[in-house]
Amino acid sequence: MSGVFAVTTRTVPTGTVLAFAGELDSGTAPAAHGAMTKLSLNAGDQLVVDLAGLEFCDSSGITVLVSAHNLARGAGAGFALAAVSRQLGRTLDILGLTGLFATYPTADDASAAWSPAGSREDGVV
């Protein structure tokens, strides 16, 4: 089903924003993983995955999100999702993953809320 997919990254004072746009599925997940391997995360940073441009996400995409979370936590960084669609939020809830991800309406909101000293071990702020 792979359609148009784009990955962009930007550095913000709290860390990195990784934005996915288009369709995140089995055909585009390798590109998402490839972008993640190029990230430079430091302890105390926050990785925000911005989903504002995401139109579709299948199980391969969910795996990408979990991998991004694990990458951040492995580096001692925080993790948050931004602009989670209603449909994706429902899917994450059904899968029991809502407790894994801190979520915010926008990437800017996630960055504004980040406090490495005040974050909990599970990554939820």
Side-chain angles (χ1 to χ4, degrees):
M1 177 169 172
S2 297
V4 176
F5 180 72
V7 180
T8 58
T9 60
R10 73 182 203 272
T11 302
V12 295
T14 56
T16 301
V17 175
L18 179 66
F20 296 145
E23 298 181 1
L24 181 54
D25 59 23
S26 61
T28 59
H33 278 289
M36 290 180 345
T37 64
K38 297 175 184 172
L39 296 177
S40 176
L41 299 173
N42 298 304
D45 284 352
Q46 180 190 44
L47 173 61
V48 176
V49 176
D50 187 352
L51 305 175
L54 198 66
E55 299 167 5
F56 176 79
C57 183
D58 72 2
S59 61
S60 298
I62 302 287
T63 300
V64 167
L65 299 179
V66 172
S67 295
H69 172 270
N70 292 343
L71 175 71
R73 301 308 290 168
F79 182 81
L81 295 178
V84 176
S85 71
R86 182 180 205 148
Q87 181 179 4
L88 180 56
R90 186 170 190 278
T91 301
L92 294 174
D93 187 43
I94 289 168
L95 294 172
L97 294 174
T98 52
L100 184 64
F101 303 123
T103 59
Y104 296 89
T106 69
D108 289 342
D109 290 333
S111 294
W114 177 240
S115 171
S119 64
R120 298 185 348 205
E121 276 299 305
D122 60 7
V124 177
V125 291

